Amino acid sequence: MLLPESCSVKVDGNECRLPPSFVVSIKSHDGEYMVAVVCEQHKEGLQYKLASMQNEGKLPAGKIQFQTITAVVTDCVKGMEEDYVEIDLKRGIGSERKP
């Protein structure tokens, strides 16, 4: 899942530029709804705000959940000449390699 690069919280009209640490969702009887991503510094404030919005009926009632975001990083895969030869010979199909 592709997530925003920064926290969803605004402070005094300015967007928080910190990377998110949690995906925030509300789990209710009819499903789970993702509502924001938040950094560690704004987690408590957002939890209070969401609970307040639930009390006002602006958000569905349910359990507010914070799921830790785990970054996954991979090395870039580069096609080597040997890879193209394998495709040509073993699989019996022409590759899109540039001569």
Side-chain angles (χ1 to χ4, degrees), residues 7 12-14 25 29 37 51 87 90:
C7 176
D12 297 326
N14 298 317
S25 63
H29 65 281
V37 292
I87 292 171
K90 291 186 178 178

Side-chain angles (χ1 to χ4, degrees), residues 31-92:
E32 186 172 0
Y33 304 94
M34 182 179 143
V35 293
V37 292
V38 68
C39 66
E40 183 70 44
Q41 289 82 349
H42 294 117
K43 179 182 175 187
E44 189 175 317
L46 183 63
Q47 186 171 13
Y48 175 78
K49 178 70 174 173
L50 293 176
S52 174
M53 291 175 75
Q54 284 179 322
N55 289 336
E56 296 170 5
K58 294 180 180 179
L59 288 175
K63 181 179 179 188
I64 299 170
Q65 297 185 326
F66 290 84
Q67 182 178 5
T68 303
I69 294 173
T70 304
V72 177
V73 181
T74 62
D75 291 331
C76 182
V77 177
K78 297 179 183 178
M80 307 293 274
E81 183 66 24
E82 296 82 26
D83 298 329
Y84 292 113
V85 171
E86 179 186 354
I87 292 171
D88 289 343
L89 296 176
K90 291 186 178 178
R91 298 184 184 172

Side-chain angles (χ1 to χ4, degrees), residues 1-22:
M1 173 189 320
L2 187 59
L3 297 174
E5 293 181 12
S6 60
C7 176
S8 299
V9 173
K10 288 186 179 183
V11 179
D12 297 326
N14 298 317
E15 294 180 3
C16 174
R17 303 306 306 157
L18 295 174
S21 300
F22 303 96

